[in-house]
Amino acid sequence: MNDLDQLYQQIILDHAKARHGAGLLEAPQGVAHGESMQHNPVCGDHIQLRVQLEGSLVKNVSWEGDGCSISMASASVLSELATGIERDEFMAILDEFRELMRSRGSRAGDEEILGDGAAFAGVSKFPARVKCAMLSWVAAEAALLAANE
Ligand code: ZN
């Protein structure tokens, strides 16, 4: 595969089309939730992301946004991965994804941990696109930090 093929893997293109978690869900009263808005001025991507918690469990992740296929696909993968798992478990996945994005192509994505997120390994070779891929993850981290208990 050449670099550009790696950048736009089919998995990424599929997620950019069928966006998991797209459409902000209202948090019912009494449900702990946090929210974050992030903007990537370099590419023009923006996202508003909301997490709902049930104790230490991420009940769901929903978001609204617009941007390039990398940023939208990444948000979709994140929603799929994060929904229904422990908050700590999600933070560990986030660390792994961030390491992958900082690897400048030196790492293969660990599918066991990252699921479809491993398909973004090729993105790390394109520093300008790393922000696109990280946008929703940064939003999710901030939303979790902001979440009321
Ligand atoms: Zn972008």
Side-chain angles (χ1 to χ4, degrees):
M1 273 196 294
N2 70 32
D3 281 356
L4 268 181
D5 287 345
Q6 278 188 29
L7 183 60
Y8 294 108
Q9 285 214 39
Q10 192 59 44
I11 287 178
I12 295 179
L13 297 175
D14 288 347
H15 271 282
K17 263 188 231 142
R19 302 173 179 181
H20 296 268
L24 271 184
L25 297 176
E26 279 304 319
Q29 229 174 18
V31 172
H33 62 281
E35 210 174 283
S36 173
M37 286 183 79
Q38 299 290 331
H39 178 225
N40 173 17
V42 179
C43 182
D45 314 315
H46 59 92
I47 191 166
Q48 181 179 7
L49 183 144
R50 186 176 290 153
V51 291
Q52 287 183 34
L53 297 168
E54 205 170 65
S56 58
L57 207 71
V58 179
K59 199 162 180 271
N60 61 57
V61 176
S62 62
W63 56 277
E64 251 169 32
D66 207 1
C68 67
S69 53
I70 302 282
S71 65
M72 296 296 102
S74 185
S76 171
V77 168
L78 178 147
S79 296
E80 204 175 46
L81 282 171
T83 297
I85 66 173
E86 291 289 324
R87 183 184 179 139
D88 289 350
E89 206 180 329
F90 173 71
M91 292 312 263
I93 295 173
L94 192 154
D95 284 344
E96 181 69 23
F97 190 74
R98 185 175 271 141
E99 283 304 309
L100 181 65
M101 286 303 105
R102 285 175 177 164
S103 73
R104 296 181 177 266
S106 67
R107 277 170 85 132
D110 187 339
E111 254 178 80
E112 292 261 316
I113 300 172
L114 295 174
D116 285 352
F120 288 80
V123 175
S124 69
K125 287 183 197 164
F126 299 85
R129 310 310 304 278
V130 166
K131 275 207 166 129
C132 304
M134 280 306 299
L135 193 71
S136 55
W137 296 77
V138 170
E141 189 176 36
L144 279 172
L145 285 173
N148 52 341
E149 293 295 332

